[in-house]
Amino acid sequence: MSNSPLKVCVAACSLNQWALDFDGNYSRICSTIIQAKEQGALIRVGTELEICGYGCYDHFYEPDTLQHCWQTLARLLTNADLRGILVFTGMPVMHRGVLYNCLIAFHNQKIVFIKPKRHLANELNYREMRYFVNWKRARHVEPFILPKQINSVTRQVKVPFGDGVISTLDNIDIGCETCEELFVPHSPHIDMSLDDVAIFINMSASHHILRKLNYRVDLIMHSMKKVGGVYIYSNQKGCDGDRTYYDGCPMVVVNGRLSAQGTQFGLQDTEVVTACVDVNDVLNYRSAVMSRSHQAASTEHYPRINVDLALGGQCELPLTPFIEPRYHTPEEEICYGPASWLWDYLRRSKMAGFFLPLSGGIDSASVALIVSSMCHMIVYAVGEDNDNQVLRDVRALTRLPNYTPTDPSELCERLFVTCYMGTQNSTKTTENRAMALAKDIGSYHININIDGIISAIVTAFSLFTNKTPKFKAHGGSQVENMALQNIQARTRMVVGYFIAQLINWSRGKSGSMLVLSSANVDENLMGYLTKYDCSSGDLNPIGSICKRDLRSFVAHSKTVFGFPSIEAFLDAEPTAELEPITDTYQQTDEDDMGLTYDELNDIGKLRKIERCGPYFMYKRLSCMWEMEPKELGDKVKLFFQKYAINRHKACIITPSYLCEQYCPDDNRFDLRPFLYNPKWDVQFREIDNSIKIGVLAKQQSMQGGIEKFGKK
């Protein structure tokens, strides 16, 4: 034990990397290394696969990707500005004909160590086992032959490859984890800590899920509280080309206490947080637990890879004080996460802005408020943070080289077009709500009536069939009623795309707009949408968010933005407004579906997260809902029947921002058939048997009570 400090300054980073953007990724890596050096750090930890970008997917199969990774690494190694600091970066590496997800450490233009990932992520949106093999040999290191383009730079022929730890000149050992290795039950840092490793680094590509950051921070803090150590956690940030948003929040934890924490959301391309820590605090912390010392005395040792670097004695900074973790509420996460994702997509796609069919309902209002949040974030980044990259991107999008945004509403008018597309079934109430919200947020708003287009289509059908379909309210059949609803919805999609392509031209501006859709996760799951209607678009920022959370977000927005129009959305009954209103009938979403949004929220979580089919869904809900067995069984059957019939709609679902684990997106997260037997014969038979047993048990219980009462 030592009472004298052994101070080391370390840096954790978040980088907004983009899949296959090798030049851009190189620039951002260099920027964070230089920032870390300027802040006095001797260790810089990057993010998982940061050289090529994490989300390359099947591009990992291509030799081009590996070739360009080595080329980019060579550029990093030849950059003299990156000397004097131990750098951890990441890229795929082929070793003995097997592709590994690797962490690479380099120092002073020499590769120190290549560590392949031992535990791969392979659930939800992660498919690492599709591309990579995990390193099978624990505590084993072997030589890796460097390609010529690296050999010519570093003058090294071989470097260590495998499962080891890095050891500095002053005997400070550094252990490495990559993302998923933190989350597995037996994390590598447990055994490393018993082998006297004091500093752990984690290069991560962990995406945003509502309420997930709390778990991530708690896990790191409790892990280090248990084993003792300095944990440097870096995480990717932003949209790297797919449905996920990586939510940054780099941090440094010492013995279970937080020393530094970065931001979870934001528009900046890079962020570096540093902390000056005392390594001797780790040694003192561990030696106080004798049971830990007994385990350490018998642990198997890791191979050591030496680096020509002394960490101690070079830091003149004061020790970083501990802080409390900072968390966003779920409403704030919805406010900032999808807005950041939209910004990345917009600036990287080089489109001119967003177009949204604004219906006057709470779902499209949520999307509009998210775009408004994006505009607020842009103005803040330019004005308060002096972010030159954001300013350059805004000027490129608006095609105004001298423009500087200072007002979110004014910026919204340039980047955002909303349109209310009314029909004979629409009401003045929804029309006025849409108009009031558009005025509050500042969007360029259009109000049109599409009855003429719909009438032309119906008339064309009548000409060649001699039949004119009618709504159910006017005496028509169910098939007529559905067809007349669907043609309204699909017309809105066609008109919306037409406007999005030409609206800027009509205003004397250049560029076309991305179309936003606004179907929530409950409707996507149930299939309560028309295929190729306004649920179809280029992007959907709320496609994995439930109605319950959206309502909370809209209420939160009223407080944050102060828009007076929001109150009316909170009080409104959700309705598609596709059928005529009569004295005895007004269409509502929950009546159409036969389930409430709160019920769908529970069903969605049980179906995906708890992996329940019809029978186990019924059994679980019988413990959650106070409902008669027959009524409960009917609701479960109704859901699965509609789910089976409508599952094909998930195959063409608009790419949605992923922030709930029960997202039904068929393309990435919910791999299931789209042709089902909607009768679910065996499954529903089991439910019926359970209902009979439940009813019989209830009758026997009641009879027993009556007899007992009679005896009294």
Side-chain angles (χ1 to χ4, degrees):
M1 291 189 296
S2 173
N3 292 321
S4 59
L6 182 58
K7 296 193 293 184
V8 179
C9 185
V10 299
C13 309
S14 64
L15 297 88
N16 195 335
Q17 301 298 73
W18 190 9
L20 304 178
D21 179 28
F22 292 98
D23 282 344
N25 293 346
Y26 167 80
S27 297
R28 287 181 284 271
I29 293 170
C30 290
S31 174
T32 57
I33 297 172
I34 292 170
Q35 289 179 64
K37 286 181 61 178
E38 291 173 347
Q39 296 177 41
L42 290 177
I43 298 175
R44 176 269 184 192
V45 180
T47 62
E48 185 175 9
L49 296 168
E50 65 180 356
I51 287 179
C52 58
Y54 181 81
C56 292
Y57 297 108
D58 282 7
H59 291 290
F60 285 124
Y61 291 131
E62 299 167 0
D64 306 54
T65 303
L66 302 184
Q67 169 79 1
H68 300 322
C69 282
W70 286 115
Q71 291 169 344
T72 305
L73 180 61
R75 293 175 66 188
L76 292 169
L77 291 167
T78 55
N79 189 334
D81 293 335
L82 311 185
R83 291 177 60 89
I85 185 170
L86 179 60
V87 174
F88 292 91
T89 189
M91 59 179 261
V93 175
M94 184 82 73
H95 178 56
R96 301 186 186 276
V98 178
L99 189 63
Y100 295 98
N101 176 347
C102 289
L103 171 156
I104 298 178
F106 67 87
H107 175 252
N108 285 350
Q109 300 178 306
K110 300 284 186 182
I111 293 178
V112 176
F113 180 41
I114 302 177
K115 184 181 183 301
K117 193 171 181 179
R118 292 200 60 217
H119 304 284
L120 300 175
N122 210 58
E123 65 282 338
L124 199 62
N125 57 301
Y126 294 107
R127 298 286 182 271
E128 291 182 17
M129 291 184 186
R130 180 178 171 90
Y131 317 108
F132 305 114
V133 174
N134 65 306
W135 182 249
K136 310 288 186 183
R137 307 179 69 180
R139 296 179 174 87
H140 172 80
V141 171
E142 61 191 41
F144 175 83
I145 309 298
L146 291 171
K148 289 183 179 180
Q149 63 212 88
I150 302 298
N151 171 269
S152 63
V153 171
T154 65
R155 303 302 176 190
Q156 297 169 286
V157 177
K158 300 176 182 179
V159 295
F161 184 101
D163 184 28
V165 299
I166 295 174
S167 186
T168 66
L169 293 175
D170 44 357
N171 294 319
I172 298 175
D173 293 334
I174 304 169
C176 307
E177 292 184 334
T178 304
C179 199
E180 180 73 6
E181 293 175 332
L182 167 67
F183 297 91
V184 295
H186 193 102
S187 297
H189 69 253
I190 297 174
D191 291 334
M192 290 178 185
S193 71
L194 294 173
D195 194 25
D196 203 32
V197 174
I199 298 176
F200 307 98
I201 69 104
N202 187 307
M203 300 174 57
S204 187
S206 185
H207 68 283
H208 174 231
I209 290 286
L210 290 179
R211 308 168 183 86
K212 179 182 176 183
L213 179 64
N214 308 51
Y215 171 71
R216 192 190 302 154
V217 174
D218 288 348
L219 179 61
I220 295 173
M221 293 177 66
H222 282 99
S223 295
M224 290 302 101
K225 186 174 183 179
K226 178 181 177 180
V227 305
V230 176
Y231 205 94
I232 312 167
Y233 178 86
S234 293
N235 188 31
Q236 185 164 317
K237 194 175 199 175
C239 166
D240 75 342
D242 199 57
R243 295 158 171 81
T244 47
Y245 178 85
Y246 301 94
D247 59 342
C249 199
M251 67 190 87
V252 180
V253 172
V254 181
N255 296 336
R257 301 178 70 184
L258 191 64
S259 288
Q261 180 184 0
T263 58
Q264 185 179 11
F265 307 109
L267 308 186
Q268 67 270 39
D269 273 349
T270 62
E271 183 179 18
V272 177
V273 297
T274 56
C276 182
V277 301
D278 183 2
V279 176
N280 277 337
D281 279 349
V282 176
L283 306 180
N284 295 336
Y285 183 88
R286 289 174 176 173
S287 63
V289 183
M290 286 306 299
S291 57
R292 181 259 169 206
S293 298
H294 282 283
Q295 286 189 331
S298 60
T299 194
E300 186 179 349
H301 297 299
Y302 279 83
R304 260 54 180 181
I305 294 94
N306 296 320
V307 59
D308 187 20
L309 170 69
L311 294 176
Q314 299 189 50
C315 182
E316 298 179 358
L317 299 169
L319 290 175
T320 303
F322 295 119
I323 59 175
E324 291 298 317
R326 300 184 303 274
Y327 301 116
H328 288 293
T329 64
E331 293 80 11
E332 290 172 334
E333 291 184 80
I334 296 172
C335 188
Y336 302 127
S340 303
W341 181 73
L342 286 178
W343 172 244
D344 278 344
Y345 201 102
L346 179 61
R347 68 192 180 103
R348 286 174 169 169
S349 69
K350 309 298 184 186
M351 298 294 278
F354 294 117
F355 172 86
L356 172 69
L358 189 59
S359 69
I362 201 166
D363 292 337
S364 61
S366 299
V367 175
L369 289 168
I370 287 170
V371 177
S372 178
S373 174
M374 181 195 79
C375 293
H376 279 79
M377 294 173 73
I378 293 168
V379 170
Y380 185 89
V382 171
E384 299 296 325
D385 292 342
N386 296 312
D387 193 317
N388 291 325
Q389 181 60 54
V390 174
L391 181 59
R392 286 193 295 270
D393 288 333
V394 170
R395 288 174 173 175
L397 291 170
T398 59
R399 281 69 168 173
L400 298 172
N402 299 315
Y403 173 63
T404 300
T406 57
D407 178 16
S409 295
E410 185 270 339
L411 177 62
C412 193
E413 195 272 342
R414 295 180 183 275
L415 296 180
F416 192 31
V417 174
T418 54
C419 180
Y420 182 84
M421 292 182 261
T423 70
Q424 61 184 347
N425 300 315
S426 304
T427 64
K428 272 292 180 184
T429 303
T430 54
E431 180 182 347
N432 291 337
R433 278 204 301 261
M435 192 179 303
L437 180 60
K439 182 179 179 181
D440 280 347
I441 66 177
S443 66
Y444 183 82
H445 188 64
I446 307 166
N447 197 332
I448 64 174
N449 186 286
I450 59 172
D451 278 333
I453 304 170
I454 297 166
S455 177
I457 296 171
V458 174
T459 299
F461 176 84
S462 300
L463 285 174
F464 65 80
T465 63
N466 292 320
K467 295 278 190 178
T468 301
K470 293 184 291 186
F471 283 105
K472 184 171 62 177
H474 299 155
S477 64
Q478 181 63 22
V479 69
E480 295 171 71
N481 197 59
M482 287 303 300
L484 289 173
Q485 290 185 69
N486 288 339
I487 195 59
Q488 296 170 74
R490 291 193 175 108
T491 299
R492 287 188 173 116
M493 185 205 73
V494 174
V495 172
Y497 266 98
F498 189 72
I499 294 173
Q501 195 164 4
L502 290 176
I503 188 64
N504 269 6
W505 166 78
S506 73
R507 300 170 68 192
K509 299 182 177 184
S510 60
S512 296
M513 317 204 91
L514 292 164
V515 177
L516 299 180
S517 66
S518 56
N520 62 60
V521 70
D522 303 317
E523 293 165 350
N524 285 333
L525 177 63
M526 188 78 165
Y528 182 63
L529 50 89
T530 299
K531 204 171 186 180
Y532 304 115
D533 67 345
C534 284
S535 64
S536 297
D538 298 311
L539 300 169
N540 184 355
I542 66 166
S544 68
I545 306 175
C546 67
K547 184 76 100 177
R548 182 188 300 170
D549 284 339
L550 286 176
R551 289 187 65 85
S552 297
F553 159 65
V554 172
H556 165 79
S557 298
K558 181 185 175 185
T559 303
V560 173
F561 300 123
F563 298 147
S565 60
I566 291 178
E567 185 66 38
F569 288 91
L570 294 170
D571 297 334
E573 179 82 21
T575 173
E577 288 195 338
L578 295 173
E579 293 186 76
I581 298 174
T582 68
D583 293 338
T584 59
Y585 177 76
Q586 182 171 356
Q587 184 180 29
T588 66
D589 290 356
E590 291 184 343
D591 286 342
D592 279 354
M593 292 187 295
L595 293 161
T596 68
Y597 281 109
D598 284 345
E599 288 170 345
L600 277 172
N601 184 262
D602 291 339
I603 287 172
K605 290 177 180 177
L606 289 175
R607 183 198 71 99
K608 178 67 174 177
I609 300 174
E610 303 298 330
R611 302 177 297 281
C612 291
Y615 175 66
F616 279 95
M617 177 86 71
Y618 171 80
K619 300 296 286 184
R620 290 292 298 273
L621 287 176
S622 65
C623 301
M624 295 168 59
W625 295 354
E626 293 185 4
M627 195 174 290
E628 289 295 322
K630 177 68 166 59
E631 183 184 2
L632 175 59
D634 288 344
K635 282 184 177 288
V636 173
K637 291 178 183 179
L638 174 67
F639 167 75
F640 276 99
Q641 284 169 343
K642 290 195 173 183
Y643 169 79
I645 292 168
N646 291 323
R647 179 62 187 175
H648 64 96
K649 297 177 183 179
C651 298
I652 55 93
I653 203 167
T654 297
S656 302
Y657 177 89
L658 173 68
C659 63
E660 280 287 12
Q661 294 186 38
Y662 62 94
C663 175
D665 189 327
D666 184 78
N667 294 280
R668 288 288 187 276
F669 316 120
D670 198 32
L671 307 181
R672 301 171 192 246
F674 61 86
L675 179 62
Y676 283 91
N677 177 359
K679 294 181 180 179
W680 300 89
D681 300 296
V682 173
Q683 296 92 332
F684 286 2
R685 194 158 57 240
E686 284 291 294
I687 292 175
D688 290 338
N689 290 337
S690 291
I691 291 172
K692 292 176 184 176
I693 293 170
V695 170
L696 181 62
K698 186 174 181 179
Q699 290 173 344
Q700 291 173 343
S701 175
M702 292 176 64
Q703 183 63 36
I706 292 170
E707 292 175 356
K708 186 175 181 181
F709 181 77
K711 289 177 182 179
K712 287 184 178 180

